Amino acid sequence: MNWLFSMRLAFVLLMLLSLWFAIGVGLSEYELYRQVLRALNDLPMSQWLQSLIAAPMVGFWLAGLFGLMLLLGLNTALCSWRDLLPIWRHKRWRSPRIMMLPIHILTLLVFIFHGVDLVFIHGHDSAVLHQGERFNSGRYQIKLVSVDYRDDVSLITEDETGFSPAGRITRRSVEQFDPRINSAYFIVQDGEQKISGDAGFMRPFRWRDLYITVTDFRVPHQEEARGVQVKVLAVHNPLVNYFFVCYGLLLVSLLLQGLVFWRRSINKGGRR
């Protein structure tokens, strides 16, 4: 069973996960699989079965992904318990591996939070809005007040088949679409309380446990007079702040570990 504790296994699993994610990206290029993946993203795990029956290949890919993640989590936990915990217990502060235990623990916490979110929470809603339209997400009412789109609108104007010259937003160049200068302005209301702010592509507008992100800008066919339409994703997740704390601490731990190895290389000391 020693192979479960090894760094070699961790390395192999990370390589396999990278390959597996690449296969998933390849699957998303096919319309059927892309639609199924989108449907799964909009549903809690308890409602995945019907969508997976329509695309068994996606189910196989997910089973492989969860299996690899489970093995990596088990390997990380066992390695932390056997090899890294004694370093902290015996206060070997000068060990070059001293920061590996916090890195492992924070990685496991990220896995756990993602699992809890996927199974028990996974609360989000999506909508397609023109200026002045609104939708509800949980207890929040979200209204699109205006769209500030500064790039060439003709590149996102769709033809009768639904295609535009710029194509999918994730494939547009910065010359075609600059996410830093394009945004939408929203008003969010929760009962008597109201707040407003801008959201953009990968730049969410946050209020409490609600995050609003614009996932696409488009002009539908023969609707040019109505202006730019936006696709909106509203995520409400009470764990989201813990995610950010864990990711922040994980980044700090990685930087400190890098500093330890850098000082070790400067001093040309041996492993303690």
Side-chain angles (χ1 to χ4, degrees), residues 9-44:
L9 176 61
F11 177 78
V12 170
L13 289 173
L14 288 171
M15 294 299 100
L16 287 175
L17 276 170
S18 299
L19 175 62
W20 210 250
F21 275 116
I23 293 174
V25 172
L27 287 177
S28 69
E29 295 298 314
Y30 295 90
E31 184 64 24
L32 171 62
Y33 300 142
R34 181 164 62 249
Q35 293 302 324
V36 171
L37 289 169
R38 284 179 178 175
L40 297 182
N41 191 52
D42 292 334
L43 295 171

Side-chain angles (χ1 to χ4, degrees), residues 17 20-21 23-24 27 33 36-41 43-45 47-49 51-53 55-70 118:
L17 276 170
W20 210 250
F21 275 116
I23 293 174
L27 287 177
Y33 300 142
V36 171
L37 289 169
R38 284 179 178 175
L40 297 182
N41 191 52
L43 295 171
M45 191 180 242
Q47 299 178 25
W48 281 10
L49 183 59
S51 297
L52 292 177
I53 290 175
M57 183 62 71
V58 176
F60 172 76
W61 180 79
L62 283 173
L65 178 64
F66 291 152
L68 290 172
M69 293 294 290
L70 181 62
L118 186 64

Side-chain angles (χ1 to χ4, degrees), residues 60-125:
F60 172 76
W61 180 79
L62 283 173
L65 178 64
F66 291 152
L68 290 172
M69 293 294 290
L70 181 62
L71 274 175
L72 183 59
L74 180 61
N75 171 263
T76 303
L78 291 175
C79 179
S80 301
W81 172 68
R82 189 187 73 169
D83 297 334
L84 300 178
L85 187 59
I87 295 175
W88 283 77
R89 187 179 296 156
H90 295 104
K91 300 180 180 180
R92 297 168 56 189
W93 308 125
R94 296 179 63 84
S95 171
R97 302 167 65 194
I98 189 65
M99 291 306 302
M100 291 302 296
L101 182 61
I103 291 172
H104 282 202
I105 292 175
L106 289 167
T107 300
L108 287 172
L109 286 175
V110 168
F111 286 174
I112 292 170
F113 286 146
H114 275 297
V116 171
D117 172 50
L118 186 64
V119 178
F120 298 106
I121 302 175
H122 201 64
H124 73 268
D125 299 285

Side-chain angles (χ1 to χ4, degrees), residues 38 68 145 150 261:
R38 284 179 178 175
L68 290 172
V145 179
R150 304 184 185 183
F261 278 102

Side-chain angles (χ1 to χ4, degrees), residues 223-242:
E223 294 187 20
E224 292 84 353
R226 301 185 65 185
V228 176
Q229 185 185 63
V230 297
K231 293 183 179 180
V232 185
L233 181 67
V235 178
H236 34 93
N237 187 341
L239 291 178
V240 71
N241 291 327
Y242 297 102

